[in-house]
Amino acid sequence: MIPSTTLKLMTRPLYVASRSFVSGEPARPTIKTEIPGPQSAILLKDLDSIQAMKSVQFFVDYDKSLGNYIVDADGNTMLDVFTSISSIPLGYNHPNMLKAFDSDHAKKVLINRPALGVYPGNDWVDQLRNVLLSCAPPGLDQVITMMCGSCSNENAFKLMYFKYMDKVRGGIPPNDEAMKSCLDNLSPGTPRLSVLSFHGGFHGRTPGALACTHSKSIHKIDVPLYDWPVADFPRYKYPLEENTQENTAEDKRCLDKVEEILERQTKNSNPCVGIIVEPIQAEGGDHHGSANFFQGLQDICKKHDIVYLVDEVQTGGGPTGKMWAHEYFNLRDAPDIVTFSKKMLTGGLYHKPDLRPNNAYQIFNTWVGDPSKLILLDSVLKTIRQDKLLETTLKAGDVLLSGLRRLENQFPSLLHSARGIGTFCAVDADTSARRDQILAKLRTEGVHCGGCGETAIRIRPALIFETKHANIFIESLEKVLKTF
Ligand code: PSZ
């Protein structure tokens, strides 16, 4: 008879997990119920009685979730390649982040949340310098914290207006008439100015940011917004290396359009003070622009002396394998403003010194950010450096993208246009309905993924996502595609 210990060894799964960055992480997903399961269904019904949040997908057990694996209220353990819309930098319950509030000082920062614009703590300047400026985009040395991505963009727009009006007045402060009329939203204190954005872009939900958002009608319907101009963002043919001529022509078409719009806006007395653009249009469908396109936009901004704002809310913080996606574009100069949130854990903006507001309280609100978030971000940045997570992201991204390319060749009627930088990857399904079916079936395989745009499958894992996780994702996707 075989001794029971040997039997146990023999029946152990062949797949033995290598060490993960978060120890104790499950080796694979395990699914016990449909998702949402019965427990989530009860909670959904309960929530619905007090809040109309029809978007909730399932409830999560954040005590049990670990590393790359999210555990739902019904005990289903899923590989999470969506991470709360790309906002969980180191996966769930990373020990370094859990430790971040161990000290009394950190706890006191957490509970004594100040109005940072008037009463910052005595370590605030060091925190801004040592944490936020330690990972600033090259060439930018001014930083302001904010609460979220939308309000970061909203305040970036204000910096643009201030700079523009300062130039219009030749550096002279606004006169009494302007100071009075602005209280009634009237000219000359309230000028007519605009920000140029792109079809398919997403920049947030507050009115200015929403005026620049053009991904889905449901975000905008029934909301009064500025009549700001919208330009075309390139739409490339894939694979890129087989379509260079067409894609270069597409860049030129889009850049010419931008110039045309800027001139029209000036003629119509609604001048553009700046351009807002995502390095990769994420919500709108993971549309990439070339380095040539982004360099061209910067040239246009310089020619018209307007502000170049790169919105790195979704791309920033490492998922492309660099801290900032625009670092891939070899811009001749830093963008004038870079906004961030999500994986950076605090919202905010980096900007050039010439955009500093002239007066106190022009950029201001009660909290202007949250110092406890910088304590967490500090532990995230140290972990990224110590564990070389940007390299990990590039390696995992290679496996993802080559896997997606193999699958689009194997299933050409189902998938096309695989693309990505680092783990910031996507592939399109043939129809919206198919994309949704693929996402639903992936979930029954234990992979929590998301969509964006009309037909894209969007991959947004944490920075601790490794090649072994990428292999599980690709294997699961292949299994799902075989069912069609
Ligand atoms: O539906 C939503 O409100 C969503 S789904 C994903 C986002 C928002 N992303 C937020 C986002 C972004 O991706 C970019 C490029 N810019 C600004 C924002 C807005 O950030 P939040 O949501 O923090 O205001």
Side-chain angles (χ1 to χ4, degrees), residues 234-251:
R235 293 289 183 262
Y236 297 140
K237 284 218 171 105
Y238 287 82
L240 292 177
E241 49 299 349
E242 287 168 29
N243 297 283
T244 44
Q245 223 172 351
E246 270 161 298
N247 293 338
T248 307
E250 175 67 351
D251 280 344

Side-chain angles (χ1 to χ4, degrees), residues 182-464:
C182 76
L183 286 174
D184 295 326
N185 307 333
L186 295 172
S187 177
T190 305
R192 206 164 159 238
L193 302 172
S194 58
V195 175
L196 176 68
S197 55
F198 292 89
H199 290 295
F202 187 101
H203 300 288
R205 301 273 192 163
T206 49
L210 190 58
C212 294
T213 286
H214 315 283
S215 50
K216 285 198 188 113
S217 305
I218 196 67
H219 299 153
K220 298 177 64 118
I221 186 74
D222 294 341
V223 184
L225 295 169
Y226 305 115
D227 60 343
W228 287 351
V230 195
D232 288 343
F233 190 89
R235 293 289 183 262
Y236 297 140
K237 284 218 171 105
Y238 287 82
L240 292 177
E241 49 299 349
E242 287 168 29
N243 297 283
T244 44
Q245 223 172 351
E246 270 161 298
N247 293 338
T248 307
E250 175 67 351
D251 280 344
K252 185 172 181 320
R253 182 185 74 80
C254 294
L255 290 170
D256 287 349
K257 204 62 183 269
V258 168
E259 284 259 35
E260 205 181 294
I261 291 173
L262 292 180
E263 275 152 31
R264 191 188 72 207
Q265 289 297 119
T266 307
K267 217 183 283 163
N268 294 345
S269 307
N270 191 6
C272 286
V273 294
I275 293 180
I276 182 168
V277 67
E278 295 161 86
I280 301 165
Q281 283 193 329
E283 293 310 302
D286 268 30
H287 300 294
H288 290 242
S290 69
N292 177 51
F293 173 72
F294 285 97
Q295 289 168 12
L297 274 186
Q298 184 167 52
D299 292 343
I300 292 173
C301 287
K302 285 194 183 294
K303 179 174 151 197
H304 292 260
D305 192 21
I306 60 172
V307 173
Y308 190 26
L309 160 50
V310 178
D311 177 346
E312 292 249 23
V313 168
Q314 193 152 157
T315 47
T320 64
K322 290 190 191 279
M323 275 310 280
W324 305 103
H326 75 264
E327 292 178 70
Y328 282 102
F329 301 150
N330 298 317
L331 297 176
R332 278 173 269 281
D333 187 13
D336 299 294
I337 307 180
V338 173
T339 49
F340 55 88
S341 196
K342 294 204 186 256
K343 283 191 171 58
M344 294 292 286
L345 302 177
T346 169
L349 43 148
Y350 295 103
H351 66 88
K352 285 192 175 158
D354 65 341
L355 284 155
R356 288 164 63 98
N358 289 331
N359 304 293
Y361 294 105
Q362 279 192 290
I363 295 291
F364 189 83
N365 57 52
T366 307
W367 281 326
V368 199
D370 178 350
S372 71
K373 297 298 180 193
L374 265 69
I375 292 180
L376 282 177
L377 178 62
D378 190 30
S379 71
V380 168
L381 294 174
K382 284 178 176 149
T383 308
I384 290 176
R385 290 171 192 134
Q386 175 196 305
D387 289 345
K388 300 190 165 50
L389 295 183
L390 297 183
E391 285 171 33
T392 303
T393 293
L394 285 174
K395 280 186 202 146
D398 279 348
V399 172
L400 278 177
L401 191 57
S402 58
L404 292 175
R405 289 202 168 128
R406 177 173 67 76
L407 293 178
E408 72 181 354
N409 286 328
Q410 199 176 328
F411 302 94
S413 63
L414 301 177
L415 291 187
H416 67 91
S417 304
R419 56 203 179 274
I421 316 177
T423 55
F424 205 103
C425 289
V427 65
D428 278 286
D430 55 331
T431 62
S432 283
R434 177 96 62 199
R435 186 269 310 273
D436 294 345
Q437 286 165 348
I438 291 173
L439 292 177
K441 289 187 178 198
L442 269 175
R443 198 180 285 179
T444 64
E445 290 300 316
V447 174
H448 176 48
C449 189
C452 59
E454 292 287 308
T455 55
I457 295 165
R458 162 165 58 161
I459 305 167
R460 293 288 181 277
L463 304 172
I464 53 160

